[in-house]
Amino acid sequence: MRKQNETKDINIKKAWIGISIMILVIILAAAGILYWYLHTPQYAATKALNGLKSRNVNDVNEYVSYSSILELLTEGIENPTGQSDFEKKCFEDFKYKINSVKTQGDTATINIEGTNKNYRNALNKWIQQVYQKFVAGEDITSEEQRSLLSDCLGDGSIGTMTATENITLKKESGKWKIVIDDNFENVVFPGLSEVVGSMGLLLNNIDK
């Protein structure tokens, strides 16, 4: 009887040792997977885009320049960065979905579907208002321009727009960084490039 109890105790100890080893293996595997994910281009894009949604400047700057993103929209307009109402309107409707991720060496391509305010409608509305002031002979400061643009972005009638693009990330010093290009602009500010492109053509024709 005593021998049976000793055998039983030994089996229980072996079972606990086996369970402990399994738990340790699972923890190590989970830690390895987490470490791997934290260093993927998908994580970099997710952290940066979520940072835009919440206006967490530090999270965005870790992977792409926040001020450079705003300059896509406000080029030529004085634009202090911070938790302003203007910036809130820029990103409050922004949402995205990652469709695919392809990595080749130090370059990654992520296909993203981005939805935000319809910047084509917002910019057209803003241009009309600025033009009316210009025709009326009114001076308009950078601050007033930004205020008008903020009002246009807050106008619910402009609606939303969705664009699907391939954005590019480059690995720099072991860290993935988002490349700001036309595709990235279209994901974050859908419709913006259409208006800017039209204005460029108009200015070129006027110069000629």
Side-chain angles (χ1 to χ4, degrees), residues 21-34:
I21 291 173
M22 285 179 60
I23 292 173
L24 180 60
V25 169
I26 291 171
I27 291 173
L28 290 173
I33 292 171
L34 179 61

PDB file of all heavy atoms in Angstrom, residues 21-34:
ATOM      1  N   ILE A  21       6.370  22.577 -17.655  1.00  0.00           N
ATOM      2  CA  ILE A  21       7.192  22.714 -18.860  1.00  0.00           C
ATOM      3  C   ILE A  21       6.337  23.183 -20.038  1.00  0.00           C
ATOM      4  O   ILE A  21       6.739  24.058 -20.810  1.00  0.00           O
ATOM      5  CB  ILE A  21       7.885  21.370 -19.197  1.00  0.00           C
ATOM      6  CG1 ILE A  21       8.952  21.056 -18.136  1.00  0.00           C
ATOM      7  CG2 ILE A  21       8.524  21.426 -20.586  1.00  0.00           C
ATOM      8  CD1 ILE A  21       9.568  19.677 -18.269  1.00  0.00           C
ATOM      9  N   MET A  22       5.126  22.601 -20.155  1.00  0.00           N
ATOM     10  CA  MET A  22       4.220  23.002 -21.237  1.00  0.00           C
ATOM     11  C   MET A  22       3.849  24.479 -21.116  1.00  0.00           C
ATOM     12  O   MET A  22       3.833  25.214 -22.111  1.00  0.00           O
ATOM     13  CB  MET A  22       2.951  22.148 -21.204  1.00  0.00           C
ATOM     14  CG  MET A  22       3.136  20.728 -21.733  1.00  0.00           C
ATOM     15  SD  MET A  22       1.609  19.773 -21.624  1.00  0.00           S
ATOM     16  CE  MET A  22       0.527  20.746 -22.647  1.00  0.00           C
ATOM     17  N   ILE A  23       3.542  24.915 -19.890  1.00  0.00           N
ATOM     18  CA  ILE A  23       3.180  26.321 -19.667  1.00  0.00           C
ATOM     19  C   ILE A  23       4.346  27.224 -20.032  1.00  0.00           C
ATOM     20  O   ILE A  23       4.166  28.273 -20.669  1.00  0.00           O
ATOM     21  CB  ILE A  23       2.756  26.543 -18.193  1.00  0.00           C
ATOM     22  CG1 ILE A  23       1.425  25.823 -17.913  1.00  0.00           C
ATOM     23  CG2 ILE A  23       2.638  28.033 -17.883  1.00  0.00           C
ATOM     24  CD1 ILE A  23       1.011  25.837 -16.459  1.00  0.00           C
ATOM     25  N   LEU A  24       5.549  26.831 -19.609  1.00  0.00           N
ATOM     26  CA  LEU A  24       6.742  27.623 -19.911  1.00  0.00           C
ATOM     27  C   LEU A  24       6.964  27.730 -21.419  1.00  0.00           C
ATOM     28  O   LEU A  24       7.289  28.807 -21.939  1.00  0.00           O
ATOM     29  CB  LEU A  24       7.969  26.995 -19.240  1.00  0.00           C
ATOM     30  CG  LEU A  24       9.302  27.716 -19.456  1.00  0.00           C
ATOM     31  CD1 LEU A  24       9.225  29.138 -18.908  1.00  0.00           C
ATOM     32  CD2 LEU A  24      10.443  26.947 -18.804  1.00  0.00           C
ATOM     33  N   VAL A  25       6.787  26.614 -22.118  1.00  0.00           N
ATOM     34  CA  VAL A  25       6.946  26.597 -23.584  1.00  0.00           C
ATOM     35  C   VAL A  25       5.926  27.527 -24.237  1.00  0.00           C
ATOM     36  O   VAL A  25       6.255  28.291 -25.158  1.00  0.00           O
ATOM     37  CB  VAL A  25       6.804  25.164 -24.130  1.00  0.00           C
ATOM     38  CG1 VAL A  25       6.698  25.184 -25.659  1.00  0.00           C
ATOM     39  CG2 VAL A  25       7.982  24.305 -23.697  1.00  0.00           C
ATOM     40  N   ILE A  26       4.675  27.478 -23.749  1.00  0.00           N
ATOM     41  CA  ILE A  26       3.617  28.335 -24.306  1.00  0.00           C
ATOM     42  C   ILE A  26       3.933  29.809 -24.069  1.00  0.00           C
ATOM     43  O   ILE A  26       3.783  30.646 -24.964  1.00  0.00           O
ATOM     44  CB  ILE A  26       2.251  27.973 -23.678  1.00  0.00           C
ATOM     45  CG1 ILE A  26       1.808  26.583 -24.152  1.00  0.00           C
ATOM     46  CG2 ILE A  26       1.195  29.016 -24.043  1.00  0.00           C
ATOM     47  CD1 ILE A  26       0.596  26.042 -23.432  1.00  0.00           C
ATOM     48  N   ILE A  27       4.405  30.145 -22.860  1.00  0.00           N
ATOM     49  CA  ILE A  27       4.746  31.529 -22.533  1.00  0.00           C
ATOM     50  C   ILE A  27       5.878  32.025 -23.421  1.00  0.00           C
ATOM     51  O   ILE A  27       5.830  33.134 -23.963  1.00  0.00           O
ATOM     52  CB  ILE A  27       5.142  31.654 -21.042  1.00  0.00           C
ATOM     53  CG1 ILE A  27       3.900  31.439 -20.154  1.00  0.00           C
ATOM     54  CG2 ILE A  27       5.761  33.026 -20.755  1.00  0.00           C
ATOM     55  CD1 ILE A  27       4.218  31.378 -18.678  1.00  0.00           C
ATOM     56  N   LEU A  28       6.910  31.194 -23.581  1.00  0.00           N
ATOM     57  CA  LEU A  28       8.041  31.572 -24.414  1.00  0.00           C
ATOM     58  C   LEU A  28       7.628  31.740 -25.875  1.00  0.00           C
ATOM     59  O   LEU A  28       8.074  32.666 -26.559  1.00  0.00           O
ATOM     60  CB  LEU A  28       9.161  30.531 -24.307  1.00  0.00           C
ATOM     61  CG  LEU A  28       9.897  30.482 -22.960  1.00  0.00           C
ATOM     62  CD1 LEU A  28      10.868  29.305 -22.935  1.00  0.00           C
ATOM     63  CD2 LEU A  28      10.623  31.798 -22.695  1.00  0.00           C
ATOM     64  N   ALA A  29       6.751  30.837 -26.331  1.00  0.00           N
ATOM     65  CA  ALA A  29       6.270  30.926 -27.713  1.00  0.00           C
ATOM     66  C   ALA A  29       5.450  32.195 -27.911  1.00  0.00           C
ATOM     67  O   ALA A  29       5.606  32.899 -28.923  1.00  0.00           O
ATOM     68  CB  ALA A  29       5.434  29.692 -28.049  1.00  0.00           C
ATOM     69  N   ALA A  30       4.569  32.511 -26.931  1.00  0.00           N
ATOM     70  CA  ALA A  30       3.739  33.711 -27.011  1.00  0.00           C
ATOM     71  C   ALA A  30       4.609  34.964 -26.997  1.00  0.00           C
ATOM     72  O   ALA A  30       4.369  35.919 -27.749  1.00  0.00           O
ATOM     73  CB  ALA A  30       2.748  33.749 -25.845  1.00  0.00           C
ATOM     74  N   ALA A  31       5.641  34.952 -26.143  1.00  0.00           N
ATOM     75  CA  ALA A  31       6.552  36.093 -26.064  1.00  0.00           C
ATOM     76  C   ALA A  31       7.295  36.269 -27.384  1.00  0.00           C
ATOM     77  O   ALA A  31       7.498  37.403 -27.854  1.00  0.00           O
ATOM     78  CB  ALA A  31       7.544  35.896 -24.922  1.00  0.00           C
ATOM     79  N   GLY A  32       7.680  35.148 -27.994  1.00  0.00           N
ATOM     80  CA  GLY A  32       8.375  35.206 -29.279  1.00  0.00           C
ATOM     81  C   GLY A  32       7.483  35.757 -30.375  1.00  0.00           C
ATOM     82  O   GLY A  32       7.921  36.583 -31.183  1.00  0.00           O
ATOM     83  N   ILE A  33       6.225  35.311 -30.389  1.00  0.00           N
ATOM     84  CA  ILE A  33       5.263  35.794 -31.382  1.00  0.00           C
ATOM     85  C   ILE A  33       5.002  37.281 -31.190  1.00  0.00           C
ATOM     86  O   ILE A  33       4.945  38.050 -32.157  1.00  0.00           O
ATOM     87  CB  ILE A  33       3.939  34.996 -31.287  1.00  0.00           C
ATOM     88  CG1 ILE A  33       4.170  33.551 -31.733  1.00  0.00           C
ATOM     89  CG2 ILE A  33       2.852  35.651 -32.136  1.00  0.00           C
ATOM     90  CD1 ILE A  33       2.998  32.632 -31.474  1.00  0.00           C
ATOM     91  N   LEU A  34       4.847  37.705 -29.913  1.00  0.00           N
ATOM     92  CA  LEU A  34       4.607  39.118 -29.616  1.00  0.00           C
ATOM     93  C   LEU A  34       5.794  39.976 -30.060  1.00  0.00           C
ATOM     94  O   LEU A  34       5.615  41.027 -30.680  1.00  0.00           O
ATOM     95  CB  LEU A  34       4.362  39.308 -28.115  1.00  0.00           C
ATOM     96  CG  LEU A  34       4.120  40.747 -27.645  1.00  0.00           C
ATOM     97  CD1 LEU A  34       2.882  41.328 -28.320  1.00  0.00           C
ATOM     98  CD2 LEU A  34       3.972  40.815 -26.123  1.00  0.00           C
TER      99      LEU A  34
END
